[in-house]
Amino acid sequence: MRPRTLQQLTGWVVTAGMLWAAGVMPSNAMPGAAGDLQREVEQRLEREASIGALVRTHTLEVVVRDAEVILKGSVSTLWEKEWAVERARDTAGVTSVISELRVVEPESDAVLVTAVGQAIARYPHYTVFDYVTGRIANAVVTLRGEVMPQQDKTGDLYKLVSRVPGVREIVIDIDVLSPGIGDERIRSALMRSLFGNVAFDRYRGINPGLHIIVRNGYVWLKGGVYDEADKILVEIIARQTFGVIRVENELKARHELEETARYLRNVGVGD
């Protein structure tokens, strides 16, 4: 399956690998202390409604061998898998946890492209001075880009994507930009110049489309704008901003983004 790109979507790797434990006693035959520990783990897991339902229907199975817990079965999201492992590990008396949990496969990477894009778009702290792109292949999501240091944006984005059904692994390769005084002055000046202009009112708010990365006086214009006129005007304003050393204009007008989307559909990227 060929990778499919995401616009507007940074290292941590979470692996959804399968571990096999041979000779494990069935969960319905846990004697004595092992049975007590099994019930304690199951009760902790049932505190999360979605996972509790999996435990009660035996879709998620808890097996105990001495003080070792093996989690078996399938879950809908990577978040559920990690949550279950952490709750089992935190249970008193448990010395180790082996995860054989499997994240249910998505319909296709194309479906994940839409779902992950929507999850990122809902992030309330994604601003004009952040830029994150994504790549999906075989249900593995790779996020790359740059974000401002306010909030734990890399952690927040990871949590958002981990809750998307079908995502089995996340690779984050996001740089946190420096809050240096010089770059902050450039960002403030760009905000005044751009959003003091009524032509750019359409780019206000969450996930504005237009993104500006400032690093040590260098400016990268990324994302999408309405038309060629906006694309040119943003570059002019950036070049005229005091303190800017160089401007790289990587903006795409709406018609360019639409042409790219049509091309990807026609060649079947992600199939």
Side-chain angles (χ1 to χ4, degrees), residues 190-219:
L190 286 169
M191 282 291 289
R192 290 193 298 270
S193 298
L194 287 171
F195 298 107
N197 188 324
V198 294
F200 293 102
D201 283 348
R202 61 170 68 103
Y203 303 108
R204 293 179 181 274
I206 298 173
N207 192 19
L210 164 64
H211 295 272
I212 303 170
I213 300 302
V214 181
R215 190 195 295 266
N216 299 324
Y218 290 81
V219 173

mmCIF file of all heavy atoms in Angstrom, residues 190-219:
data_model
loop_
_atom_site.group_PDB
_atom_site.id
_atom_site.type_symbol
_atom_site.label_atom_id
_atom_site.label_comp_id
_atom_site.label_asym_id
_atom_site.label_seq_id
_atom_site.Cartn_x
_atom_site.Cartn_y
_atom_site.Cartn_z
ATOM 1 N N LEU A 190 4.131 40.265 12.005
ATOM 2 C CA LEU A 190 3.365 39.611 10.949
ATOM 3 C C LEU A 190 1.885 39.542 11.299
ATOM 4 O O LEU A 190 1.023 39.740 10.430
ATOM 5 C CB LEU A 190 3.912 38.205 10.708
ATOM 6 C CG LEU A 190 5.247 38.111 9.969
ATOM 7 C CD1 LEU A 190 5.803 36.694 10.022
ATOM 8 C CD2 LEU A 190 5.081 38.556 8.510
ATOM 9 N N MET A 191 1.581 39.276 12.558
ATOM 10 C CA MET A 191 0.179 39.245 12.974
ATOM 11 C C MET A 191 -0.490 40.593 12.753
ATOM 12 O O MET A 191 -1.607 40.675 12.234
ATOM 13 C CB MET A 191 0.092 38.857 14.454
ATOM 14 C CG MET A 191 0.271 37.388 14.727
ATOM 15 S SD MET A 191 -1.102 36.374 14.115
ATOM 16 C CE MET A 191 -2.393 36.832 15.274
ATOM 17 N N ARG A 192 0.212 41.669 13.132
ATOM 18 C CA ARG A 192 -0.374 43.004 12.952
ATOM 19 C C ARG A 192 -0.568 43.326 11.475
ATOM 20 O O ARG A 192 -1.619 43.855 11.077
ATOM 21 C CB ARG A 192 0.522 44.063 13.608
ATOM 22 C CG ARG A 192 0.532 44.016 15.131
ATOM 23 C CD ARG A 192 1.184 45.270 15.692
ATOM 24 N NE ARG A 192 2.582 45.378 15.263
ATOM 25 C CZ ARG A 192 3.613 44.870 15.927
ATOM 26 N NH1 ARG A 192 3.397 44.197 17.060
ATOM 27 N NH2 ARG A 192 4.848 45.018 15.493
ATOM 28 N N SER A 193 0.419 43.003 10.664
ATOM 29 C CA SER A 193 0.357 43.357 9.242
ATOM 30 C C SER A 193 -0.670 42.517 8.487
ATOM 31 O O SER A 193 -1.417 43.033 7.652
ATOM 32 C CB SER A 193 1.732 43.178 8.592
ATOM 33 O OG SER A 193 2.686 44.028 9.186
ATOM 34 N N LEU A 194 -0.704 41.214 8.781
ATOM 35 C CA LEU A 194 -1.617 40.339 8.049
ATOM 36 C C LEU A 194 -3.052 40.491 8.518
ATOM 37 O O LEU A 194 -3.964 40.727 7.718
ATOM 38 C CB LEU A 194 -1.172 38.882 8.207
ATOM 39 C CG LEU A 194 0.084 38.466 7.447
ATOM 40 C CD1 LEU A 194 0.517 37.066 7.868
ATOM 41 C CD2 LEU A 194 -0.163 38.507 5.943
ATOM 42 N N PHE A 195 -3.258 40.384 9.827
ATOM 43 C CA PHE A 195 -4.621 40.362 10.317
ATOM 44 C C PHE A 195 -5.166 41.744 10.634
ATOM 45 O O PHE A 195 -6.309 41.887 11.075
ATOM 46 C CB PHE A 195 -4.714 39.407 11.505
ATOM 47 C CG PHE A 195 -4.374 37.996 11.117
ATOM 48 C CD1 PHE A 195 -3.180 37.414 11.502
ATOM 49 C CD2 PHE A 195 -5.232 37.265 10.317
ATOM 50 C CE1 PHE A 195 -2.852 36.135 11.126
ATOM 51 C CE2 PHE A 195 -4.922 35.974 9.927
ATOM 52 C CZ PHE A 195 -3.728 35.400 10.325
ATOM 53 N N GLY A 196 -4.343 42.754 10.368
ATOM 54 C CA GLY A 196 -4.864 44.108 10.350
ATOM 55 C C GLY A 196 -5.426 44.442 8.982
ATOM 56 O O GLY A 196 -6.011 45.505 8.767
ATOM 57 N N ASN A 197 -5.240 43.522 8.044
ATOM 58 C CA ASN A 197 -5.718 43.679 6.675
ATOM 59 C C ASN A 197 -7.000 42.859 6.527
ATOM 60 O O ASN A 197 -7.002 41.644 6.739
ATOM 61 C CB ASN A 197 -4.641 43.170 5.704
ATOM 62 C CG ASN A 197 -4.967 43.463 4.251
ATOM 63 O OD1 ASN A 197 -6.132 43.423 3.854
ATOM 64 N ND2 ASN A 197 -3.936 43.746 3.476
ATOM 65 N N VAL A 198 -8.101 43.513 6.135
ATOM 66 C CA VAL A 198 -9.396 42.815 6.066
ATOM 67 C C VAL A 198 -9.373 41.660 5.077
ATOM 68 O O VAL A 198 -10.179 40.733 5.165
ATOM 69 C CB VAL A 198 -10.529 43.798 5.693
ATOM 70 C CG1 VAL A 198 -10.741 44.805 6.803
ATOM 71 C CG2 VAL A 198 -10.252 44.480 4.364
ATOM 72 N N ALA A 199 -8.446 41.698 4.110
ATOM 73 C CA ALA A 199 -8.362 40.629 3.118
ATOM 74 C C ALA A 199 -8.017 39.289 3.764
ATOM 75 O O ALA A 199 -8.287 38.227 3.192
ATOM 76 C CB ALA A 199 -7.329 40.977 2.051
ATOM 77 N N PHE A 200 -7.436 39.339 4.977
ATOM 78 C CA PHE A 200 -7.016 38.101 5.634
ATOM 79 C C PHE A 200 -7.919 37.683 6.792
ATOM 80 O O PHE A 200 -7.572 36.795 7.559
ATOM 81 C CB PHE A 200 -5.569 38.252 6.118
ATOM 82 C CG PHE A 200 -4.587 38.355 4.989
ATOM 83 C CD1 PHE A 200 -4.057 39.587 4.623
ATOM 84 C CD2 PHE A 200 -4.216 37.234 4.268
ATOM 85 C CE1 PHE A 200 -3.164 39.697 3.575
ATOM 86 C CE2 PHE A 200 -3.323 37.326 3.215
ATOM 87 C CZ PHE A 200 -2.794 38.559 2.862
ATOM 88 N N ASP A 201 -9.092 38.309 6.887
ATOM 89 C CA ASP A 201 -10.032 37.931 7.938
ATOM 90 C C ASP A 201 -10.446 36.465 7.818
ATOM 91 O O ASP A 201 -10.733 35.799 8.818
ATOM 92 C CB ASP A 201 -11.287 38.815 7.894
ATOM 93 C CG ASP A 201 -11.046 40.200 8.485
ATOM 94 O OD1 ASP A 201 -9.991 40.387 9.123
ATOM 95 O OD2 ASP A 201 -11.906 41.075 8.304
ATOM 96 N N ARG A 202 -10.466 35.954 6.606
ATOM 97 C CA ARG A 202 -10.900 34.571 6.377
ATOM 98 C C ARG A 202 -9.942 33.546 6.982
ATOM 99 O O ARG A 202 -10.280 32.367 7.093
ATOM 100 C CB ARG A 202 -11.059 34.285 4.880
ATOM 101 C CG ARG A 202 -9.790 34.446 4.072
ATOM 102 C CD ARG A 202 -9.987 33.900 2.652
ATOM 103 N NE ARG A 202 -10.904 34.705 1.877
ATOM 104 C CZ ARG A 202 -10.534 35.582 0.940
ATOM 105 N NH1 ARG A 202 -9.249 35.778 0.702
ATOM 106 N NH2 ARG A 202 -11.417 36.265 0.274
ATOM 107 N N TYR A 203 -8.739 33.996 7.366
ATOM 108 C CA TYR A 203 -7.753 33.066 7.919
ATOM 109 C C TYR A 203 -7.678 33.111 9.450
ATOM 110 O O TYR A 203 -6.799 32.510 10.039
ATOM 111 C CB TYR A 203 -6.374 33.365 7.337
ATOM 112 C CG TYR A 203 -6.351 33.291 5.827
ATOM 113 C CD1 TYR A 203 -6.240 34.448 5.061
ATOM 114 C CD2 TYR A 203 -6.463 32.070 5.172
ATOM 115 C CE1 TYR A 203 -6.229 34.383 3.679
ATOM 116 C CE2 TYR A 203 -6.451 31.996 3.789
ATOM 117 C CZ TYR A 203 -6.343 33.163 3.049
ATOM 118 O OH TYR A 203 -6.338 33.096 1.672
ATOM 119 N N ARG A 204 -8.599 33.821 10.067
ATOM 120 C CA ARG A 204 -8.616 33.867 11.523
ATOM 121 C C ARG A 204 -9.200 32.578 12.091
ATOM 122 O O ARG A 204 -9.943 31.871 11.425
ATOM 123 C CB ARG A 204 -9.458 35.045 12.020
ATOM 124 C CG ARG A 204 -8.863 36.408 11.684
ATOM 125 C CD ARG A 204 -9.773 37.512 12.186
ATOM 126 N NE ARG A 204 -9.256 38.834 11.856
ATOM 127 C CZ ARG A 204 -8.389 39.495 12.599
ATOM 128 N NH1 ARG A 204 -7.954 38.956 13.721
ATOM 129 N NH2 ARG A 204 -7.965 40.693 12.234
ATOM 130 N N GLY A 205 -8.877 32.279 13.343
ATOM 131 C CA GLY A 205 -9.500 31.161 14.027
ATOM 132 C C GLY A 205 -8.651 29.908 14.036
ATOM 133 O O GLY A 205 -7.475 29.900 13.690
ATOM 134 N N ILE A 206 -9.280 28.791 14.451
ATOM 135 C CA ILE A 206 -8.613 27.505 14.558
ATOM 136 C C ILE A 206 -8.315 26.955 13.178
ATOM 137 O O ILE A 206 -9.132 27.046 12.266
ATOM 138 C CB ILE A 206 -9.499 26.512 15.347
ATOM 139 C CG1 ILE A 206 -9.736 27.026 16.769
ATOM 140 C CG2 ILE A 206 -8.874 25.120 15.380
ATOM 141 C CD1 ILE A 206 -10.721 26.186 17.548
ATOM 142 N N ASN A 207 -7.148 26.355 13.024
ATOM 143 C CA ASN A 207 -6.747 25.720 11.778
ATOM 144 C C ASN A 207 -6.966 26.661 10.600
ATOM 145 O O ASN A 207 -7.790 26.395 9.723
ATOM 146 C CB ASN A 207 -7.527 24.417 11.573
ATOM 147 C CG ASN A 207 -6.952 23.575 10.452
ATOM 148 O OD1 ASN A 207 -5.812 23.758 10.046
ATOM 149 N ND2 ASN A 207 -7.747 22.652 9.950
ATOM 150 N N PRO A 208 -6.225 27.764 10.528
ATOM 151 C CA PRO A 208 -6.506 28.819 9.559
ATOM 152 C C PRO A 208 -6.182 28.485 8.112
ATOM 153 O O PRO A 208 -6.599 29.210 7.211
ATOM 154 C CB PRO A 208 -5.615 29.972 10.046
ATOM 155 C CG PRO A 208 -4.488 29.297 10.749
ATOM 156 C CD PRO A 208 -5.094 28.100 11.406
ATOM 157 N N GLY A 209 -5.445 27.450 7.838
ATOM 158 C CA GLY A 209 -5.061 27.136 6.453
ATOM 159 C C GLY A 209 -3.723 27.751 6.114
ATOM 160 O O GLY A 209 -2.814 27.071 5.638
ATOM 161 N N LEU A 210 -3.600 29.033 6.332
ATOM 162 C CA LEU A 210 -2.339 29.753 6.147
ATOM 163 C C LEU A 210 -1.469 29.560 7.391
ATOM 164 O O LEU A 210 -1.920 29.770 8.514
ATOM 165 C CB LEU A 210 -2.620 31.244 5.943
ATOM 166 C CG LEU A 210 -1.440 32.214 6.099
ATOM 167 C CD1 LEU A 210 -0.383 31.950 5.042
ATOM 168 C CD2 LEU A 210 -1.940 33.654 6.036
ATOM 169 N N HIS A 211 -0.216 29.153 7.165
ATOM 170 C CA HIS A 211 0.694 28.933 8.291
ATOM 171 C C HIS A 211 2.046 29.571 8.013
ATOM 172 O O HIS A 211 2.529 29.557 6.868
ATOM 173 C CB HIS A 211 0.868 27.436 8.564
ATOM 174 C CG HIS A 211 -0.394 26.780 9.016
ATOM 175 N ND1 HIS A 211 -0.759 26.718 10.340
ATOM 176 C CD2 HIS A 211 -1.394 26.206 8.311
ATOM 177 C CE1 HIS A 211 -1.925 26.111 10.438
ATOM 178 N NE2 HIS A 211 -2.339 25.786 9.220
ATOM 179 N N ILE A 212 2.630 30.133 9.080
ATOM 180 C CA ILE A 212 3.908 30.845 8.963
ATOM 181 C C ILE A 212 4.863 30.296 10.013
ATOM 182 O O ILE A 212 4.587 30.371 11.210
ATOM 183 C CB ILE A 212 3.706 32.361 9.167
ATOM 184 C CG1 ILE A 212 2.682 32.907 8.169
ATOM 185 C CG2 ILE A 212 5.038 33.092 9.019
ATOM 186 C CD1 ILE A 212 2.249 34.337 8.444
ATOM 187 N N ILE A 213 5.972 29.745 9.545
ATOM 188 C CA ILE A 213 6.986 29.218 10.452
ATOM 189 C C ILE A 213 8.149 30.199 10.498
ATOM 190 O O ILE A 213 8.715 30.553 9.450
ATOM 191 C CB ILE A 213 7.483 27.828 10.004
ATOM 192 C CG1 ILE A 213 6.308 26.847 9.967
ATOM 193 C CG2 ILE A 213 8.584 27.327 10.928
ATOM 194 C CD1 ILE A 213 5.574 26.695 11.282
ATOM 195 N N VAL A 214 8.499 30.637 11.707
ATOM 196 C CA VAL A 214 9.594 31.592 11.897
ATOM 197 C C VAL A 214 10.676 30.911 12.715
ATOM 198 O O VAL A 214 10.414 30.419 13.817
ATOM 199 C CB VAL A 214 9.104 32.858 12.630
ATOM 200 C CG1 VAL A 214 10.264 33.847 12.796
ATOM 201 C CG2 VAL A 214 7.939 33.499 11.882
ATOM 202 N N ARG A 215 11.887 30.878 12.161
ATOM 203 C CA ARG A 215 12.998 30.236 12.853
ATOM 204 C C ARG A 215 14.275 31.037 12.600
ATOM 205 O O ARG A 215 14.771 31.094 11.484
ATOM 206 C CB ARG A 215 13.187 28.803 12.373
ATOM 207 C CG ARG A 215 14.172 27.984 13.224
ATOM 208 C CD ARG A 215 14.587 26.707 12.491
ATOM 209 N NE ARG A 215 13.478 25.804 12.307
ATOM 210 C CZ ARG A 215 13.173 24.797 13.137
ATOM 211 N NH1 ARG A 215 13.910 24.599 14.217
ATOM 212 N NH2 ARG A 215 12.163 24.001 12.879
ATOM 213 N N ASN A 216 14.784 31.675 13.648
ATOM 214 C CA ASN A 216 16.038 32.440 13.576
ATOM 215 C C ASN A 216 16.036 33.483 12.452
ATOM 216 O O ASN A 216 17.027 33.677 11.759
ATOM 217 C CB ASN A 216 17.222 31.492 13.388
ATOM 218 C CG ASN A 216 17.356 30.511 14.536
ATOM 219 O OD1 ASN A 216 17.101 30.845 15.689
ATOM 220 N ND2 ASN A 216 17.746 29.278 14.220
ATOM 221 N N GLY A 217 14.919 34.151 12.280
ATOM 222 C CA GLY A 217 14.812 35.207 11.285
ATOM 223 C C GLY A 217 14.394 34.725 9.904
ATOM 224 O O GLY A 217 14.086 35.543 9.029
ATOM 225 N N TYR A 218 14.377 33.423 9.677
ATOM 226 C CA TYR A 218 13.939 32.860 8.405
ATOM 227 C C TYR A 218 12.450 32.544 8.495
ATOM 228 O O TYR A 218 11.971 32.054 9.520
ATOM 229 C CB TYR A 218 14.738 31.603 8.064
ATOM 230 C CG TYR A 218 16.179 31.885 7.716
ATOM 231 C CD1 TYR A 218 17.128 32.081 8.715
ATOM 232 C CD2 TYR A 218 16.591 31.976 6.388
ATOM 233 C CE1 TYR A 218 18.455 32.348 8.411
ATOM 234 C CE2 TYR A 218 17.923 32.249 6.064
ATOM 235 C CZ TYR A 218 18.839 32.433 7.078
ATOM 236 O OH TYR A 218 20.153 32.712 6.768
ATOM 237 N N VAL A 219 11.746 32.797 7.395
ATOM 238 C CA VAL A 219 10.291 32.624 7.385
ATOM 239 C C VAL A 219 9.889 31.667 6.261
ATOM 240 O O VAL A 219 10.325 31.817 5.112
ATOM 241 C CB VAL A 219 9.572 33.978 7.192
ATOM 242 C CG1 VAL A 219 8.069 33.772 7.007
ATOM 243 C CG2 VAL A 219 9.843 34.900 8.380
#
